[in-house]
Amino acid sequence: MHLPDGFLDAKTALLSAGVAAAGVGLAVHQVRASLEPRRMPLLGVAAAFVFATQMLNFPIPGGTSGHLLGGVLTAVLLGPSAAVLVLTCVLIVQCLMFADGGLLALGANVFNMALVNVGGGYLVFRGLKRLIPMEEKRSTVFAAAFAGWFGTVLASVSCAGQLALSKTAPWSVAFPAMANIHMLIGLVEGLATGLVVLAVLRVRPELVAGAAEPGRAGRRAFVAYALLLSLGLAVFVAPFACPWPDGLEAVARALGFAGKAKAPPFAAPVSEYQVPFIGSPTAATALAGLIGTLIAFVAAYALARVLVPVLNARKEDARPGN
């Protein structure tokens, strides 16, 4: 769902960027005020995991592929404001390092995937949790799964609106084309979201947003294992991801505006997830995944360190039981 440059006109790109900047600014304010210092590494782990899983395109019927967004999952585990920052970090890394998503369209991509996906999905998650007559764990898993599906579809509808506003494709065809294909992609997103939340609730329920925190040793172990898992997915699975066009690309080809995509205004260091001068495409993708996952981790963790004063973090870790 990463919009390239050329699909949106200047007014839509600027409007999207302005709203995205306001939303990210609000998320920064909320995270600075509420993020517990001990949770800072979890933002880095979440960014690494989201980056790695977004490389794992999977096939869907009709010769199209999809990839996970991870926004709702991150919101359920870390809270919506932290999730907005995590997704924003990932999208910036993808754009600047890998030319995945246009530079001029970065604001629109942040709006769709970091704000609409996270915000809309999380609101549905919270509402469903209160309405479902199930015990706590089951209601959390079911609500997370449905919200993961809903957030993906909602982000695709927002993308269709931007295409229509730019007169790239009429709303009457862009909306059903984007929504229909992402309803299928969203099924995998919802299933993955529910399964990961279920696993966390069974193994480390304290890591879900709002729950009591584990001790310092437990947090470090979780961060280490989660980062290794993300690196493993990027290095050993991503090179074999489905090569078919993703949902937006398939819609662009079907509706005849794929040719509007413009090359990025700069040479990305690892364009198309292929490290230069590596003879094997598989090895080049694996190395690109390794690099990107680590950069995403560092970017999100560094942002958290900037937002949360180091002095407060030291005081938090010095409390009894940490």
Side-chain angles (χ1 to χ4, degrees):
M1 205 186 298
H2 294 69
L3 285 160
D5 288 335
F7 280 11
L8 304 183
D9 62 9
K11 73 174 187 306
T12 305
L14 287 173
L15 177 62
S16 300
V19 178
V24 172
L26 178 61
V28 166
H29 175 75
Q30 293 293 326
V31 168
R32 180 182 286 124
S34 62
L35 179 67
E36 297 182 16
R38 65 184 75 188
R39 295 181 73 87
M40 289 190 299
L42 297 180
L43 270 70
V45 167
F49 184 75
V50 168
F51 179 91
T53 55
Q54 287 199 6
M55 290 184 67
L56 309 181
N57 282 53
F58 48 84
I60 62 173
T64 306
S65 70
H67 64 74
L68 303 180
L69 295 182
V72 174
L73 172 62
T74 306
V76 172
L77 298 180
L78 299 180
S81 296
V84 167
L85 297 188
V86 166
L87 267 291
T88 300
C89 285
V90 170
L91 290 167
I92 291 173
V93 170
Q94 290 171 334
C95 175
L96 299 182
M97 288 291 300
F98 302 92
D100 191 3
L103 181 62
L104 299 179
L106 179 59
N109 287 325
V110 170
F111 178 76
N112 295 336
M113 289 183 274
L115 293 179
V116 173
N117 172 249
V118 170
Y122 189 75
L123 284 175
V124 168
F125 166 74
R126 295 289 295 180
L128 276 180
K129 266 198 72 175
R130 295 173 181 173
L131 295 175
I132 297 174
M134 299 180 183
E135 56 94 13
E136 179 72 13
K137 183 181 292 186
R138 290 184 179 181
S139 65
T140 299
V141 172
F142 180 85
F146 183 84
W149 174 84
F150 180 85
T152 298
V153 177
L154 190 63
S156 73
V157 171
S158 174
C159 183
Q162 291 165 341
L163 294 172
L165 188 61
S166 300
K167 294 182 170 53
T168 300
W171 171 253
S172 59
V173 292
F175 166 64
M178 286 293 290
N180 288 342
I181 200 168
H182 284 90
M183 282 182 183
L184 295 176
I185 294 172
L187 292 176
V188 180
E189 178 88 30
L191 178 62
T193 300
L195 289 175
V196 173
V197 170
L198 176 62
V200 172
L201 286 173
R202 285 182 173 177
V203 180
R204 302 299 298 272
E206 70 275 8
L207 292 171
V208 176
E213 288 292 330
R216 186 175 185 180
R219 294 196 308 273
R220 286 183 171 179
F222 177 83
V223 167
Y225 286 127
L227 181 57
L228 286 174
L229 171 63
S230 302
L231 290 171
L233 291 174
V235 172
F236 300 118
V237 182
F240 307 102
C242 180
W244 297 346
D246 68 13
L248 176 60
E249 292 172 336
V251 169
R253 293 181 184 183
L255 300 185
F257 61 86
K260 289 192 172 188
K262 295 181 180 178
F266 61 93
V270 195
S271 181
E272 300 298 325
Y273 298 92
Q274 291 286 306
V275 176
F277 313 116
I278 303 294
S280 167
T282 300
T285 302
L287 184 55
L290 174 67
I291 293 170
T293 302
L294 290 174
I295 291 177
F297 173 84
V298 171
Y301 181 54
L303 177 61
R305 296 288 294 186
V306 169
L307 295 179
V308 180
V310 177
L311 181 60
N312 289 350
R314 290 174 178 170
K315 289 180 179 179
E316 193 78 23
D317 281 333
R319 289 182 180 178
N322 290 336

